[in-house]
Amino acid sequence: MSVIMEKEALDVKKIRAGFPELLRSVNAYPLVYLDNAATGLKPSAVIERMRAFDMLEYATVRRGSYKIGEEATEQFELARADVARFINANPGEVVFTSGATQSINLVASSWGRKFLKEGDEVLVSAMEHHANIVPWQMVCAETGAKLRVIPVDDTGELVMDEYARLLGPRTKIVAVTHVSNVLGTVNPVRDITAMAHGEGARVLIDGAQAIPHMKVDVRGIDCDFYVFSSHKLYGPTGLGVLYGKADVLESMPPYVTGGDMIERVTFEKTTFRKAPARFEAGTPPVTQVIGLGEAVRYIQRVGLGRIEEYERELLEYGERTLSAIPGIRFIGTAPGKASIISFTLGDIHPHDIVTALDHHGVAVRGGHHCAQPLMDRFGVPATVRASFAFYNTFADIATLAEGLREVVEVFS
Ligand code: PMP
């Protein structure tokens, strides 16, 4: 059944009807939402599931002494199991955090402080989001390890020969993004992982931008850690996922401590629970986890295969249409990229472009996109970024192009 469904084209009109925010207008124009790399809009299915849970099913979890608490715990763990299945992991390998940022901080602090020492090396790439740079920089400063950087070529691809050259017995962990939030480049994470493992290094993949666009199989990739945020997958904010291989998580000390993550506390000594509970101190964001579970089920109903195919068409149309705008320079032209287009337009400041488009109800992002080293690499202070989701249309892109033509006329 699902195979047949996957072959049918996406019914975008029907999908759009399920995203209430797409029906609103902005500055008297219909909203054209093209900032999906920053955050995804929520389908009614997710909003309604969270509302129903809060209305009648809400209780705290993992205390288990009364019925509604037991039921809430069951729903909570069901969501964990659904998220685990979604990425081909075991539920025990899925830690709920507050976001991709916290997931990386957890690994850098817990794993990093235990396993890094002076002379060791941490490899990141030149296309990382600050969330996958700064935590490593901090733990390197603390432990004496060295941060080294895999370069990016002019199209926005990682220079794999340089990666091979940088890898060595000193490399203890490689932390790279699956998909660049600026360039849209899809990195060869399986090869990256296999090469790192060949040197005995661990691998963390930042999947924040990959998870809404493609089927992710953490076992297939064989990475040690994989992180993402719920809100970019059409779920709620304040929630993220850290996948870690069971034995690797088990080798790590707690990151945040307190309630829920302990076995036994005395004033002399505390013992900790196994992962994932060991890394989930305090009352978790129960409703948000229920919401993410629903988001995952929603995406599976739509079909990631169909999403990928449709987004590829949007990207091709976007690149073709925007390339006709005078003065446009695309930043990131790697083959097979995800549906993210970054560009500059002559000398016009990205913020001016964003403001002008906003007047027409078009929401795109302008700035450094939390990737200042990458901006330096391409010699620009900022770019404009349009990022497409499966609920966007060709008409959205045509509106963007029309707006950009107007911007060029006004500023030239
Ligand atoms: N990594 C990448 C590649 C991202 O695009 C983002 C979000 N812009 C993050 C990490 C951080 O995600 P969050 O802000 O949800 O923690």
Side-chain angles (χ1 to χ4, degrees):
M1 173 70 179
S2 70
V3 175
I4 294 166
M5 293 270 293
E6 287 272 323
K7 281 191 176 160
E8 288 168 14
L10 221 52
D11 186 346
V12 180
K13 202 168 164 203
K14 190 167 155 212
I15 282 169
R16 287 177 69 83
F19 282 81
E21 196 164 344
L22 288 174
L23 301 175
R24 66 165 285 181
S25 52
V26 175
N27 296 323
Y29 288 89
L31 169 64
V32 174
Y33 185 72
L34 298 175
D35 197 16
N36 295 286
T39 198
L41 303 179
K42 289 183 200 63
S44 303
V46 170
I47 298 166
E48 280 160 17
R49 180 68 196 104
M50 290 198 294
R51 185 174 141 82
F53 183 80
D54 273 340
M55 291 274 283
L56 289 174
E57 301 165 57
Y58 179 76
T60 195
V61 293
R62 302 195 287 222
R63 306 296 195 275
S65 47
Y66 45 81
K67 188 156 178 64
I68 60 166
E70 279 170 14
E71 284 175 356
T73 304
E74 211 171 284
Q75 290 295 314
F76 185 87
E77 292 305 330
L78 204 75
R80 192 195 303 276
D82 283 338
V83 170
R85 206 170 309 114
F86 188 62
I87 57 170
N88 194 22
N90 291 321
E93 297 171 316
V94 168
V95 178
F96 289 124
T97 65
S98 69
T101 300
Q102 201 205 6
S103 297
I104 300 169
N105 273 275
L106 192 165
V107 177
S109 293
S110 168
W111 184 92
R113 283 197 194 126
K114 179 162 174 190
F115 292 106
L116 292 174
K117 54 181 190 324
E118 183 141 19
D120 288 344
E121 291 179 357
V122 173
L123 276 190
V124 296
S125 88
M127 67 171 83
E128 297 312 310
H129 187 281
H130 297 161
N132 201 26
I133 299 173
V134 187
W136 298 113
Q137 226 165 25
M138 301 285 283
V139 74
C140 281
E142 209 178 302
T143 59
K146 200 168 165 209
L147 192 69
R148 307 199 68 189
V149 184
I150 310 161
V152 167
D153 70 16
D154 289 343
T155 68
E157 287 194 290
L158 289 181
V159 184
M160 291 298 279
D161 288 349
E162 277 301 306
Y163 171 51
R165 215 180 52 74
L166 285 163
L167 262 179
R170 288 165 190 255
T171 316
K172 288 295 171 302
I173 190 161
V174 176
V176 294
T177 196
H178 194 165
V179 171
S180 161
N181 66 315
V182 177
L183 310 165
T185 311
V186 181
N187 286 320
V189 287
R190 282 179 193 236
D191 293 348
I192 289 170
T193 303
M195 287 164 74
H197 284 171
E199 292 293 341
R202 296 285 182 203
V203 176
L204 177 142
I205 305 293
D206 175 355
Q209 296 294 341
I211 202 82
H213 298 297
M214 62 188 67
K215 178 86 194 107
V216 169
D217 174 354
V218 292
R219 271 198 213 129
I221 298 169
D222 197 31
C223 53
D224 301 283
F225 303 105
Y226 195 96
V227 310
F228 62 92
S229 294
S230 148
H231 69 97
K232 295 191 204 262
L233 189 61
Y234 316 105
T237 51
L239 177 65
V241 167
L242 165 64
Y243 157 80
K245 279 184 181 166
D247 59 326
V248 184
L249 285 180
E250 221 35 67
S251 73
M252 291 160 50
Y255 165 57
V256 174
T257 55
D260 258 13
M261 48 75 72
I262 54 85
E263 256 169 16
R264 176 90 183 102
V265 178
T266 65
F267 283 112
E268 288 71 40
K269 184 175 160 52
T270 295
T271 54
F272 305 111
R273 291 173 66 188
K274 285 189 173 307
R278 181 187 303 170
F279 301 106
E280 293 179 354
T283 305
V286 185
T287 310
Q288 287 83 341
V289 168
I290 301 300
L292 175 60
E294 191 58 40
V296 161
R297 286 188 283 274
Y298 172 85
I299 289 296
Q300 281 171 327
R301 283 199 298 277
V302 177
L304 267 166
R306 290 194 295 184
I307 289 176
E308 249 184 276
E309 199 178 315
Y310 179 64
E311 288 182 351
R312 197 175 312 125
E313 287 169 19
L314 285 177
L315 177 69
E316 276 168 23
Y317 179 71
E319 285 179 332
R320 201 161 6 103
T321 314
L322 297 192
S323 64
I325 310 279
I328 199 158
R329 174 190 170 201
F330 292 118
I331 309 283
T333 51
K337 59 180 265 183
S339 54
I340 296 172
I341 301 183
S342 272
F343 60 90
T344 57
L345 208 49
D347 293 335
I348 311 170
H349 196 283
H351 288 154
D352 291 333
I353 298 170
V354 170
T355 307
L357 291 171
D358 183 45
H359 288 150
H360 293 270
V362 179
V364 293
R365 173 64 60 92
H368 55 62
H369 315 291
C370 300
Q372 284 177 337
L374 186 65
M375 297 293 113
D376 294 343
R377 159 66 182 83
F378 282 91
V380 291
T383 74
V384 179
R385 180 186 69 189
S387 47
F388 313 134
F390 60 96
Y391 45 65
N392 287 126
T393 61
F394 294 87
D396 287 344
I397 295 170
T399 307
L400 167 68
E402 207 177 296
L404 289 174
R405 273 209 187 82
E406 257 185 62
V407 170
V408 172
E409 266 171 38
V410 170
F411 281 84
S412 60

